[in-house]
Amino acid sequence: MKNTLKNKYDIQQMRISGKITANVLEIIKPYIVPDVSTEDINRICHHYITQVKHAIPACLGYKNFPKSICISINDVVCHGISDKKLLLKNGDIVNIDVSVIKNDYYTDASKMFFVGSVSKKNKYLCQITKKSLYLSLKCIKNGVKINTIGKIIQKYVEKKNFSVVREYCGHGIGKNFHEFPHILHFYSHNDYIIMRTGMIFTIEPMVNEKLPHVKCMADGWTIKTNDGGLSAQYEHTILVTKTGCEIITHQKNEKIPKIFINT
């Protein structure tokens, strides 16, 4: 457990890394338009991370992943691979997942983008997914069971008649991309881990329009919904504090505070 807790230096460095991760998601928004290729989006993000921020795209080469970011469109749940022949279309919903290494520290965040004119139904899926993440932040503080996060997310999502993907979860993060503990986005009564001040982990619910089942495509990375329904995801890197939490990857124009006081 001690190895999962970050000291003041670790936290300082992760704030620097987290700011870069957030910045990537901020600067890419104007480029999310119809007829742009996903490879162009990948290239812009890669240039910004490496040349502007002098950081490292954590996804590139991770277990042989071929690109610097993940771009997942419509029924792609996660780990979508960019391609110059894959163009965004009017009405698409797109998840961009960014992971950055700066000064040997990882941070990770993702969000949904709308391409052109998106239907109310599809926007609603994204709004519910984001709200499920935001609601879970209100339970985070020292001494609370980690499975409370998944309980809150699952209850809210299923109340709205959507489903939570179970095969993928949040994770501790720091000097490694994936660390202890696992953060499930559904309730598990067998999860007895307690949040402690100094823990840093991601919360990244993947919410499906229809059933929660997913499948892996032939490239070994791209995960799609099994039934062709749409999927949405939002992710933040979160620091547990004595009184609440801090969003390490907080972005401009988010309608939530960077610091949560959860008394």
Side-chain angles (χ1 to χ4, degrees), residues 19 32 36 53 57-58 64 72 79 124 136 142 148 198 260:
K19 182 66 174 176
I32 309 300
V36 69
K53 294 298 184 178
N64 295 317
S72 304
H79 305 159
Y124 184 64
S136 75
N142 184 65
T148 310
F260 276 70

Side-chain angles (χ1 to χ4, degrees), residues 143-182:
V144 175
K145 287 185 178 180
I146 276 184
N147 65 7
T148 310
I149 295 170
K151 185 176 184 179
I152 289 170
I153 291 171
Q154 181 182 13
K155 181 179 179 181
Y156 180 72
V157 167
E158 292 182 353
K159 183 179 178 181
K160 301 298 183 179
N161 295 315
F162 296 127
S163 62
V164 178
V165 173
R166 299 191 173 217
E167 284 84 350
Y168 300 92
C169 62
H171 51 88
I173 190 168
K175 280 205 162 185
N176 301 288
F177 203 162
H178 298 92
E179 299 179 350
F180 183 84
H182 299 302

Side-chain angles (χ1 to χ4, degrees), residues 67-203:
K67 302 295 179 177
S68 295
I69 60 171
C70 300
I71 305 176
S72 304
I73 306 170
N74 295 335
D75 65 335
V76 178
V77 176
C78 60
H79 305 159
I81 299 173
S82 63
D83 191 300
K84 63 183 180 181
K85 295 180 181 178
L86 180 59
L87 307 182
L88 298 183
K89 302 188 300 294
N90 185 61
D92 284 345
I93 59 171
V94 183
N95 178 271
I96 295 185
D97 192 343
V98 177
S99 304
V100 160
I101 311 167
K102 181 69 174 180
N103 300 330
D104 297 324
Y105 285 87
Y106 290 75
T107 51
D108 196 0
S110 83
K111 65 178 292 186
M112 300 301 295
F113 294 86
F114 302 145
V115 183
S117 179
V118 173
S119 71
K120 288 184 179 179
K121 178 174 71 75
N122 295 347
K123 283 184 177 180
Y124 184 64
L125 170 65
C126 298
Q127 289 162 358
I128 295 304
T129 306
K130 179 165 65 175
K131 183 71 177 294
S132 75
L133 167 57
Y134 287 178
L135 285 173
S136 75
L137 300 178
K138 296 180 179 180
C139 81
I140 297 176
K141 67 177 178 178
N142 184 65
V144 175
K145 287 185 178 180
I146 276 184
N147 65 7
T148 310
I149 295 170
K151 185 176 184 179
I152 289 170
I153 291 171
Q154 181 182 13
K155 181 179 179 181
Y156 180 72
V157 167
E158 292 182 353
K159 183 179 178 181
K160 301 298 183 179
N161 295 315
F162 296 127
S163 62
V164 178
V165 173
R166 299 191 173 217
E167 284 84 350
Y168 300 92
C169 62
H171 51 88
I173 190 168
K175 280 205 162 185
N176 301 288
F177 203 162
H178 298 92
E179 299 179 350
F180 183 84
H182 299 302
I183 308 296
L184 303 181
H185 304 118
F186 58 93
Y187 180 67
S188 171
H189 67 275
N190 293 322
D191 190 349
Y192 302 110
I193 299 167
I194 303 296
M195 298 182 214
R196 295 299 181 200
T197 301
M199 275 187 173
I200 297 183
F201 49 73
T202 70
I203 304 175

Side-chain angles (χ1 to χ4, degrees), residues 202-228:
T202 70
I203 304 175
E204 47 185 296
M206 303 173 194
V207 175
N208 288 355
E209 177 186 21
K210 298 178 182 178
L211 296 177
H213 313 300
V214 300
K215 58 186 177 183
C216 185
M217 307 309 288
D219 60 25
W221 279 106
T222 304
I223 305 299
K224 289 190 174 186
T225 60
N226 206 42
D227 54 21

